[in-house]
Each structure stands twice: as structure tokens, then as C-alpha cells.
Amino acid sequence: MPLDIERCDLNIKGNHSNHHTDLFGQECLVVRRGQPFSIVLHLSSSTYTPIYICVSAGPLPRRESDTKVTFSPQASDTEWSASAATDASGRTVTVSISSSPKAPIGIYTLTLDQLGQKTSLGQFTLLFNFYMEIIEEKRKEYVLAQHGLIYRGSHKRIKGKPWNFGQFEPGILDICLKILDNNPKFVSDADKDVSSRRDPIYVTRALSAMINSNDDRGVLVGEWAEFSDGTHPGLWMGSGEILRQWAESGPVHYGQCWVFAAVACTVFRALGIPCRVVTNFGSAHDTNANLVIERFFDENGDRISRDDSICENFHVWVDSWMTRPDLGSKFDGWQTSDPTPQETSDGVFCCGPASLCAIKEGEVGLKYDTPFIFAEVNFLFFCSKTHLYPRSIESTKSVGHFISTKAVGANERHDITHQYKYPEGSKEEREVYERAQNRNMLLKRREKPGLYLKIKLAENMIVGSSFEVYALLTNNCMDTRNCKLIFYARAVSYNGKIGDLCGFSSDNLEVPSGEERRLSLKLEYQRYEPAITSDLLIQVSAITIDKETVDFQKAEKTIVLDEPDIGIKVRTLNQPVTVELTLLNPLPEPLLSCSFAIDGIGLTGSKPIKATYVKLSNEAAKASIEFKPTVAGSSVLLVNFDSDKLKNIKNFTDVVVEK
């Protein structure tokens, strides 16, 4: 006789505590695969009969695809199993269910089968379970942390920008699963796609393609120039608003590399894959896969466009932690993937996952996209030539400086360059590059007597100020050299796109042996302000030409203009909370169209709260914003300031909401 079930208790609170999924709330059961969870059957009588449990996932569950599995407490011939225990009254049965450690992730329907009579017990969401494979501190950072820092700027001036990942916010997990359901492979063969979601490698490639919208209706549209019909990438403060907007209306305008990476990190962490956001300073882009970057200059020292490019400032991607049974255990651990659309992989705009071990060791024959990522972080051979002078100087330049991620458990930068590459100039580095190049050895130019050119920057370079920079030319030759020195500045975007000229100086110099000459270049606010973007970057370049030998030298540096700080004062932690915000105007002109916005997980709801009416007095922008926290405990409040002249200025503060 079938059991007469009054109700089924999915034991959400207890299961969530055991599976470290309690931050998802109490609305739906969320568990990690390979780890037991329990449900409680409350019966109307004490009669007990053998039961079978069926779990199914996807629109067309099939036993052959492991998307439909039936097992019982009595016996099981599958990797799923169960056990049952009845209390003394015989009317309460606790069923412990162990999912397969290789089961596809996603939403499952749970059904009880008694002598052919099926009873629906509800649904649960199954996540990847790398939680127990990393130490506690890293679990908290790479799986559970909802706030982080993303590093931007240049390798000489690194700045951490706050971001709310918000993977546990209401509805976000469902949206992450919806992303998978919208990928083209699901559309063409749902059964095969859902079954393949057992593999984090497969899921990583699918997400790398779906976070951008180049091949599909993915999450973000990339844009690096015109933003009038969307949101400027610098205005975003967290992933939640982007993901909700995508779920409601499709691809979101706009994203750039740090936004693509931050959204990907949210999705990875929500699905149970440990993830970190990584910034590579001086990131190369090798379009023809020859591990060589070629750069050409005209007679003025300006770069001539070619297919290969180098992002002089930074590029952002993600590392996710997983095993690599397809490559061997040596290549387990952190894997790089990049959702920013740059080049196609197997005909799709996606990149990775590539093992950090493979990247470091130069194993560029291993999948996925290892040669491309290797070239982004390693020594590359540059060929610098001009049209005016047939003689050229061939040199090597290092890319992949100060590869950065947020430190575990602290709002500090953690340098992980050593995880990607051996120390520059080391024997191991040379061996790796030779292996990667196969037959093209990296030729290191030996230091020899000649002209040495470098650029010296000012100490304080805050936006709004005027300042001087210097080109320093040293003669290491045995005789005097007569040279022409050109020194100029152009606006530049974070991705290396050169903008308008904002400063120029030149001189003919006679440099005696062993002496130094300098040429100054004054950068005035009135001249650089119309040229710079919201990235606040200026590239200064110096080129010297030896009039006798017609050899030339070129030096470049990127200036990151300092931003003003936003003062944050939380006035009270009673309901509602009031935060007072202040920004001192560093510009020699008024700020117009000023606004502050605040965003915090469990603090401000599903969208940032914006104050468009901002008081301007004594050259300061001020605003007070009220918000009502919905969750007690520790959180982080992000603040963004925007205006006509100063854009996307950010700060954050820790907030503790009392119960």
C-alpha cells in the first residue's frame, strides 16, 4: 500500500547550513553535489512500503543522459543513493539523499515512486561542489564573498575599484541558470547540453561565450567609444543590476573588460565554482597566434596600425578553480577564462579555460586557448621600425606586469604574477618561451654603449591640475652625439586606443659623452581635459633620433590621473540609515549635472539608490541618502559620483547593521 504523505519538508534551513548555501535564503532548496541532503516525509499513518526516488533535470530528462535517475533506500545501481530512517511513531520518515559527484548542475524535480504511484516532492537546485576542496579562508573569498576589488590603472599606478558581485541576492541564481538555458548549444540540443553540465570545463566555455553577446543573446554588449544609447561601463557598481536587466530585456548596453569579468565571477560563484577576478597590466593581444607582437612607427614616432596590438594599460579576466581530467592532474587548479570578446575560439567569441600551469610552463598545445593567454602575459618580440629611417632597433619588451587580484580576507592587492610566469630573465623563463615559440628563440638585446632615453613623471598628478613631465636622454657613447628629441602626450583609453594630442615639445640637443639632457613637457588641464576619457589616462611618448647614425630610441609611459576621494559618513545605524557624501572639486571650473549613487548587498534593495539633487558649496558636492537595510550583519556600501567633467568616481565603506 502506498504511503499516505501529508507533506514533505525539504529541510531547507538544515540543508543550507550543511551545504553552506544559507545565503541563498529559505525560498528554494540549494545543495552542492556529492554531499548528502535530507528531506522529511510526514505520513498520515505508520504504514511503510518500499519507495523509489526519481530526480530529473532539463526539459527532456533521459536515463541515458543521466538527467533522469531512479534509486531507492533499499538498493541502487546508480551514483545517486539514499537511506531512510523512521521515527518511533512510524509517521515521520527522514530520507537522506546523496547526489552523484558527477551529476549535471541545475534545477531538479524530486519525485517519489510507490508501486507505480508518483508523488511530486518539490524541486531543488544542484551546484558544483568545489567547496570542500579548498581551505576555509579561500572558500570564504572565492565562493562566498559578495564584495570585491577590481584593479585598474597602470602597472605604475594600480587602483582597486569596488564591486558588488551579489551572487546570493534573490533571483540571481535563477538568472545564472537561465544564461545556460539561452546558450546556442542548449537551443540546438537541450538534452546533450544539460547532460554536459556535469563538466565545469564545458560550463566555463559556455559562460565565457554567453557573458558577451557577440554570437548570441548573451548578457553584455561591448563598447569602447560611444555610450549614448546605454550605460557607460564605468557607472556599474555591481553584477546584480546587469543580470536582472538582461533577464528582463536581453543584452545589456554596455560592458568593458572589467565588467565582463565581474559578471562572470558572479555567475561562477553562484554555480559553486571558486572564482577570482584577475587584472593583467600590460596585456598583449596576439591576433595571428605567432607569439610575436610587431609595432611600427612613422617619422613622428606615432604608432602605425597593424593587426597585432598591445593593451598598454590593463586587461581583466577571471580564474576559476577546477580539476582537468582532460589534461591530467598536473594541470588541476586555477584556470583562466576571458568573457570579453576578443578573438574566436572554435568559431565562437569565448576564451578558455586554460590551465595556469600550462600557461606558466609554455604548454601552448594544450586546450583551451592557451597560446592566446600565454601571449597576453609573457615576453614577446617587438619589431620597431620607421618609414623615414631604414635602420631599426630590435628589442624585447615584457608584458604581464603586476598581475593582480584581491587578497584573501583583506581589501588589499595580491600579486599573482608568479603563478602565470617565471621571473623575468630567469633560466626557466627562457626555457618556457623557447618551448612556446618552438623554433623562434627569444633574442635578448645586450646592453651596449649608446643613447639611453627614459621619462620621468611628476609626483602629484591629480585631475584638474597642470604639471610637468620630463624626457631624460643619457649619452653612454665615447663621443658627443647630436640628436633630435620629440616629446608629446596623447589621451589613451584603458585598452590602448590612442586619442587626441594634448601636449608637444621638441628640441635639437648636443649631448656630450657621459652627460644627460632633459626636455620638459607641460601638461595643462585646459589642453588635456577635452582629450581624455573617463579612464583618466594620458600616454607620454619620447623619441630621439641620432643625426649621424639615424638610429632611434623610443620611451613611453602612461599617466593615471589621480581622482578626488569621496568622503563617506554613516550617520546612524538605526532604521532608516543616513549616509552623508562629500566630494571636493579639484577642477578649476564648476561641476555640473552632479549625482551620487549608493549600492550595497542587503542594504539598498535590487537597484542602486541615486541622489540627483546635489548641493554645491565651497567647491564641494554634497548629498545625504537614506536607505533601509533588509539584512542584519556586515556588508559593504559602494558609492559612485558622476558629473559632466568628473565621471565614475568610486569609494566604499564597511557597514554593520545591528539586529
Side-chain angles (χ1 to χ4, degrees):
M1 179 178 178
L3 298 179
D4 189 1
I5 301 173
E6 290 184 343
R7 62 185 178 90
C8 174
D9 179 4
L10 295 179
N11 189 24
I12 293 176
K13 185 175 182 180
N15 286 322
H16 281 192
S17 177
N18 292 333
H19 286 248
H20 303 277
T21 55
D22 44 299
L23 290 174
F24 282 114
Q26 302 297 315
E27 295 298 318
C28 302
L29 177 60
V30 182
V31 294
R32 302 186 188 278
R33 72 179 187 181
Q35 185 176 341
F37 65 95
S38 62
I39 62 174
V40 181
L41 304 178
H42 295 273
L43 313 179
S44 58
S45 67
S46 59
T47 304
Y48 180 79
T49 58
I51 59 173
Y52 287 87
I53 297 168
C54 178
V55 293
S56 56
L60 299 169
R62 299 170 64 244
R63 288 182 174 84
E64 295 79 3
S65 303
D66 290 330
T67 52
K68 182 178 183 180
V69 183
T70 302
F71 52 97
S72 77
Q74 297 80 240
S76 178
D77 58 357
T78 74
E79 291 189 343
W80 289 72
S81 62
S83 61
T86 307
D87 72 350
S89 70
R91 299 178 61 180
T92 301
V93 180
T94 300
V95 181
S96 177
I97 299 172
S98 293
S99 61
S100 166
K102 299 178 182 178
I105 63 161
I107 298 174
Y108 281 78
T109 298
L110 186 63
T111 304
L112 193 68
D113 188 339
Q114 309 169 78
L115 305 177
Q117 179 177 318
K118 294 179 173 57
T119 304
S120 176
L121 302 179
Q123 290 185 326
F124 65 93
T125 300
L126 190 67
L127 306 180
F128 288 114
N129 191 5
F130 294 103
Y131 190 86
M132 302 305 294
E133 299 181 18
I134 55 177
I135 64 175
E136 179 66 22
E137 292 80 5
K138 291 185 178 180
R139 293 176 206 158
K140 291 179 180 178
E141 185 67 48
Y142 299 135
V143 181
L144 301 181
Q146 298 194 79
H147 168 77
L149 295 173
I150 300 173
Y151 291 93
R152 296 164 58 187
S154 75
H155 75 278
K156 292 288 187 181
R157 225 168 175 83
I158 298 174
K159 297 182 178 182
K161 300 289 185 178
W163 189 272
N164 279 334
F165 296 113
Q167 66 268 30
F168 298 113
E169 287 188 309
I172 294 300
L173 178 57
D174 288 339
I175 295 173
C176 295
L177 294 171
K178 182 178 179 179
I179 293 172
L180 292 176
D181 287 347
N182 276 262
N183 92 82
K185 291 183 178 180
F186 177 86
V187 175
S188 63
D189 191 340
D191 175 63
K192 183 178 179 180
D193 176 77
V194 173
S195 179
S196 297
R197 295 180 193 178
R198 71 184 69 238
D199 183 2
I201 301 167
Y202 177 88
V203 171
T204 297
R205 281 187 70 73
L207 291 177
S208 176
M210 281 299 297
I211 298 301
N212 71 73
S213 59
N214 283 40
D215 304 293
D216 41 55
R217 287 185 59 78
V219 177
L220 278 160
V221 178
E223 179 59 50
W224 286 263
E226 175 56 49
F227 311 104
S228 59
D229 60 341
T231 299
H232 189 290
L235 285 173
W236 300 114
M237 291 191 285
S239 304
E241 185 179 6
I242 295 170
L243 290 169
R244 291 188 185 93
Q245 188 173 325
W246 173 81
E248 293 173 2
S249 55
V252 178
H253 299 64
Y254 288 106
Q256 291 178 1
C257 68
W258 71 91
V259 184
F260 286 107
V263 172
C265 184
T266 295
V267 178
F268 278 117
R269 290 183 182 182
L271 298 180
I273 300 176
C275 188
R276 64 187 184 187
V277 178
V278 175
T279 303
N280 178 38
F281 290 95
S283 188
H285 184 165
D286 182 20
T287 59
N288 56 14
N290 66 351
L291 304 183
V292 174
I293 296 292
E294 297 172 306
R295 298 170 73 180
F296 297 82
F297 303 98
D298 64 19
E299 59 271 18
N300 296 316
D302 289 334
R303 213 174 289 167
I304 301 169
S305 177
R306 288 291 188 271
D307 287 338
D308 277 344
S309 67
I310 177 170
C311 175
E312 291 286 354
N313 303 304
F314 67 90
H315 184 59
V316 186
W317 57 65
V318 292
D319 286 345
S320 47
W321 200 102
M322 65 190 70
T323 57
R324 291 301 299 265
D326 58 328
L327 303 181
S329 59
K330 174 184 176 181
F331 300 99
D332 291 349
W334 289 115
Q335 315 287 322
T336 294
S337 62
D338 189 352
T340 301
Q342 296 186 88
E343 300 292 331
T344 59
S345 174
D346 295 333
V348 178
F349 278 97
C350 67
C351 182
S355 163
L356 258 65
C357 177
I359 296 167
K360 184 173 182 177
E361 297 298 335
E363 298 286 356
V364 295
L366 299 180
K367 55 188 181 183
Y368 290 92
D369 306 306
T370 305
F372 184 82
I373 301 169
F374 175 88
E376 287 186 298
V377 301
N378 272 284
F379 269 120
L380 297 172
F381 184 78
F382 286 79
C383 191
S384 302
K385 299 180 180 178
T386 68
H387 283 242
L388 182 62
Y389 297 101
R391 185 176 298 197
S392 65
I393 294 176
E394 296 180 348
S395 62
T396 58
K397 181 178 178 69
S398 172
V399 298
H401 299 280
F402 300 95
I403 302 175
S404 303
T405 192
K406 180 184 174 296
V408 173
N411 289 322
E412 299 173 356
R413 187 182 73 88
H414 178 42
D415 193 303
I416 57 172
T417 307
H418 64 283
Q419 297 181 19
Y420 277 86
K421 57 197 292 189
Y422 287 102
E424 293 181 3
S426 67
K427 176 183 176 182
E428 292 86 354
E429 185 208 35
R430 289 193 297 271
E431 291 174 349
V432 164
Y433 195 81
E434 288 169 8
R435 184 184 309 128
Q437 277 286 61
N438 197 9
R439 292 192 181 129
N440 299 321
M441 291 185 62
L442 174 66
L443 302 176
K444 302 275 285 182
R445 178 171 62 94
R446 296 179 180 178
E447 290 296 328
K448 59 183 179 180
L451 296 170
Y452 177 64
L453 181 64
K454 68 177 181 178
I455 296 172
K456 183 179 180 181
L457 302 181
E459 290 295 326
N460 298 310
M461 298 178 291
I462 188 167
V463 62
S465 67
S466 297
F467 50 88
E468 283 188 314
V469 295
Y470 299 91
L472 307 178
L473 180 62
T474 304
N475 182 7
N476 293 326
C477 300
M478 300 301 292
D479 55 353
T480 298
R481 293 294 185 182
N482 293 296
C483 306
K484 181 177 182 179
L485 181 56
I486 302 170
F487 195 19
Y488 60 96
R490 289 184 179 275
V492 63
S493 298
Y494 87 91
N495 63 346
K497 183 179 180 181
I498 303 298
D500 293 337
L501 188 73
C502 55
F504 182 87
S505 179
S506 67
D507 200 1
N508 293 305
L509 302 175
E510 182 180 276
V511 190
S513 175
E515 294 191 17
E516 177 186 275
R517 294 291 184 266
R518 65 170 53 191
L519 180 63
S520 66
L521 176 63
K522 188 168 185 179
L523 296 176
E524 298 179 327
Y525 172 74
Q526 288 76 10
R527 189 163 183 191
Y528 69 69
E529 185 277 328
I532 61 173
T533 70
S534 59
D535 296 327
L536 300 182
L537 300 175
I538 300 174
Q539 185 181 84
V540 288
S541 304
I543 183 169
T544 183
I545 303 167
D546 189 316
K547 293 183 178 180
E548 296 178 11
T549 66
V550 297
D551 284 345
F552 78 91
Q553 294 277 353
K554 182 168 175 130
E556 287 182 345
K557 278 195 175 180
T558 300
I559 295 171
V560 183
L561 297 173
D562 289 328
E563 302 169 339
D565 290 329
I566 301 175
I568 306 173
K569 184 179 180 181
V570 181
R571 197 168 63 194
T572 175
L573 291 181
N574 297 321
Q575 295 275 14
V577 180
T578 301
V579 59
E580 296 178 349
L581 307 170
T582 305
L583 181 136
L584 297 177
N585 179 15
L587 307 185
E589 59 182 324
L591 294 173
L592 304 176
S593 304
C594 300
S595 65
F596 286 99
I598 62 172
D599 187 30
I601 297 166
L603 301 177
T604 58
S606 61
K607 293 184 178 181
I609 300 174
K610 189 174 182 180
T612 54
Y613 176 73
V614 177
K615 297 179 181 178
L616 296 171
S617 62
N618 298 324
E619 300 180 345
K622 298 181 179 181
S624 294
I625 303 178
E626 287 189 350
F627 61 94
K628 295 181 179 180
T630 57
V631 179
S634 299
S635 189
V636 177
L637 185 71
L638 273 61
V639 181
N640 185 78
F641 174 82
D642 197 46
S643 68
D644 63 329
K645 300 292 184 182
L646 284 178
K647 295 183 178 295
N648 314 324
I649 311 299
K650 289 181 169 58
N651 202 355
F652 68 97
T653 188
D654 294 327
V655 174
V656 179
V657 179
E658 298 177 355
K659 295 182 179 180

